[in-house]
Amino acid sequence: MEENDLDPNTSLQRCTLVPRVFLPLCGLYALTDYEIKKWFRLNRSTILDLYGLIQHELEASTRRTRSIPVIGKLLAVLHFLDTGSFQSLSSPIVGMSQPSFSRHLGVVLKAILKHLNKYICVPKNSEQWHRIKIGLYNVAEIPNVLCAIDCTHIALVPPSSVEEQYRNRKSFHSFNVQAVCDAKLQIWEVRSGFPGSCHDYHILKQSQLYTSFERGEMPHGWLLADSGYPCRPWFLTPVPNPNSDSENRFTEAHRSTRSAVERTFGVLKMCFSALDRTGGVLMYSPEKVNDIILKCCMLHNMAVRCGDVNNIEIMNVPHDDYSPPELISQNSTQTGVSNRTEIIERYFACDTIIHCF
């Protein structure tokens, strides 16, 4: 029986090939400097530096002529981190469908994070530490401050099996992310991947920074922290209940200097809306969310080094200062309290400022 003799009601339906639709791709050189900053938050040179880091690793091995170029994948990821939304990925600026973006996101993140230690690392020499001390001293004249430390929460969808571990004290699910910053808002260390229920001090104790301070391997000076941390020999925390003029002056100077880390979080979330709860919740696995957070911190440092954030004006970010009193009292030391008292008496006991640099 010939094909034409088949009953049309019983014959197999032939597959109809649907032509692929290629979204228009816009190269970086087709955009003005204003458009680049508007869509990707970084300047042209910073994006090109980033492109140079990952170009060879992400070059397509396929011979297809319409494969997405590396710069297209990078711009799509940067635009997503800026907006926190998939809705505009198909615009002419980015030119990528959501399924394509989902395939490339993890690959681009992994390629970038291989260079994380180049942009986020604790200073290795005394000259770097001295510059950091000078910058923080110039804020409110507290001497020998090495960095400011604090934590912030990044909202996510938690694994159902351990959902309650990710619920923080503000009753939403998150990662609790620790950062150590200087007066220029540069991040020198970041710790991510901890469920929102983890206390700030617990996160610090898991870090190499804590071990280095405890072993006396760090330069002379202090980390500036809020009242959620204990007062230790290398930790400078505010006076719990200031009752003198000198203690009040120290508390105000401490608040002003430590605000550097809060402003860092504010700038980070303003530039990368994917991290801001107002932009929605990151609906990825905790592993991928952790990669996104680390990448944003790395990009933030690249922007700081290139001067992209110098002119950003941001109000102090509201920050929950609460911590269980019993945890603080258990971990504070007499040496730490004595160091704080000595600083108050020497530098804040009168209106005369003693310059130490």
Side-chain angles (χ1 to χ4, degrees):
M1 182 181 293
E2 296 183 2
E3 183 179 356
N4 293 337
D5 296 330
L6 289 174
D7 185 349
N9 294 325
T10 60
S11 62
L12 297 175
Q13 298 292 325
R14 294 183 177 179
C15 295
T16 303
L17 294 178
V18 178
R20 295 182 63 192
V21 177
F22 294 96
L23 297 173
L25 293 174
C26 181
L28 193 63
Y29 291 102
L31 302 175
T32 66
D33 290 342
Y34 172 79
E35 289 172 330
I36 291 174
K37 289 294 293 290
K38 176 183 178 182
W39 284 88
F40 309 113
R41 289 293 185 177
L42 303 174
N43 65 32
R44 188 186 303 271
S45 63
T46 304
I47 294 177
L48 290 175
D49 288 344
L50 191 59
Y51 172 68
L53 292 177
I54 66 174
Q55 177 184 6
H56 297 295
E57 184 172 350
L58 297 185
E59 287 288 359
S61 58
T62 177
R63 293 177 179 269
R64 289 167 47 200
T65 58
R66 298 305 298 269
S67 61
I68 299 175
V70 176
I71 189 64
K73 300 172 186 178
L74 175 60
L75 293 181
V77 172
L78 292 177
H79 183 58
F80 165 70
L81 297 177
D82 170 30
T83 63
S85 172
F86 297 105
Q87 300 303 315
S88 57
L89 288 174
S90 59
S91 70
I93 296 293
V94 178
M96 185 179 296
S97 66
Q98 182 174 333
S100 294
F101 174 77
S102 298
R103 289 195 302 271
H104 297 305
L105 175 61
V107 177
V108 174
L109 289 175
K110 294 297 183 183
I112 293 176
L113 290 178
K114 289 183 178 180
H115 305 275
L116 180 68
N117 291 337
K118 179 180 178 181
Y119 294 93
I120 301 180
C121 61
V122 176
K124 302 298 183 182
N125 57 67
S126 58
E127 182 180 350
Q128 283 183 309
W129 279 120
H130 184 70
R131 286 199 299 265
I132 293 174
K133 286 183 178 182
I134 290 291
L136 289 167
Y137 176 80
N138 288 337
V139 175
E141 300 189 342
I142 300 180
N144 288 321
V145 177
L146 298 174
C147 280
I149 185 172
D150 208 347
C151 290
T152 190
H153 289 273
I154 307 297
L156 52 71
V157 177
S160 58
S161 59
V162 288
E163 179 180 352
E164 283 307 306
Q165 293 183 20
Y166 286 83
R167 190 182 300 277
N168 59 41
R169 61 176 177 260
K170 295 183 179 179
S171 298
F172 67 90
H173 300 101
S174 67
F175 268 148
N176 196 8
V177 181
Q178 172 190 283
V180 176
C181 313
D182 63 17
K184 294 183 178 180
L185 311 189
Q186 181 156 312
I187 299 173
W188 290 100
E189 189 193 62
V190 60
R191 297 280 294 171
S192 181
F194 292 86
S197 62
C198 285
H199 192 277
D200 296 359
Y201 185 56
H202 169 78
I203 297 174
L204 175 63
K205 290 182 69 175
Q206 312 307 310
S207 68
Q208 180 60 43
L209 189 68
Y210 178 89
T211 303
S212 298
F213 269 110
E214 287 291 293
R215 291 177 177 175
E217 299 171 353
M218 299 296 288
H220 171 62
W222 299 275
L223 286 184
L224 224 58
D226 63 21
S227 59
Y229 294 86
C231 190
R232 298 181 70 83
W234 45 274
F235 239 139
L236 202 56
T237 59
V239 178
N241 298 296
N243 53 19
S244 67
D245 290 342
S246 58
E247 288 182 349
N248 283 323
R249 279 192 289 269
F250 168 78
T251 299
E252 179 60 26
H254 185 285
R255 184 199 64 78
S256 298
T257 308
R258 194 186 63 83
S259 69
V261 67
E262 295 183 351
R263 288 186 290 116
T264 298
F265 289 140
V267 171
L268 182 68
K269 293 182 179 182
M270 184 178 69
C271 290
F272 304 106
S273 297
L275 302 185
D276 194 350
R277 191 182 173 201
T278 60
V281 177
L282 287 169
M283 303 182 69
Y284 295 101
S285 67
E287 293 77 17
K288 185 167 287 188
V289 171
N290 183 56
D291 287 347
I292 290 173
I293 293 170
L294 294 177
K295 178 189 174 179
C296 289
C297 291
M298 174 179 162
L299 295 178
H300 168 86
N301 272 7
M302 293 181 73
V304 170
R305 293 184 184 185
C306 292
D308 284 0
V309 300
N310 283 349
N311 297 323
I312 293 179
E313 295 182 1
I314 183 171
M315 300 296 291
N316 285 339
V317 182
H319 210 59
D320 193 343
D321 198 36
Y322 171 79
S323 182
E326 65 275 11
L327 182 64
I328 299 174
S329 61
Q330 288 175 1
N331 291 279
S332 294
T333 65
Q334 184 59 46
T335 303
V337 175
S338 298
N339 286 341
R340 183 176 63 194
T341 301
E342 181 182 351
I343 291 174
I344 293 173
E345 292 176 349
R346 183 176 180 184
Y347 297 98
F348 298 93
C350 62
D351 294 333
T352 302
I353 303 298
I354 300 177
H355 297 280
C356 61
F357 289 104

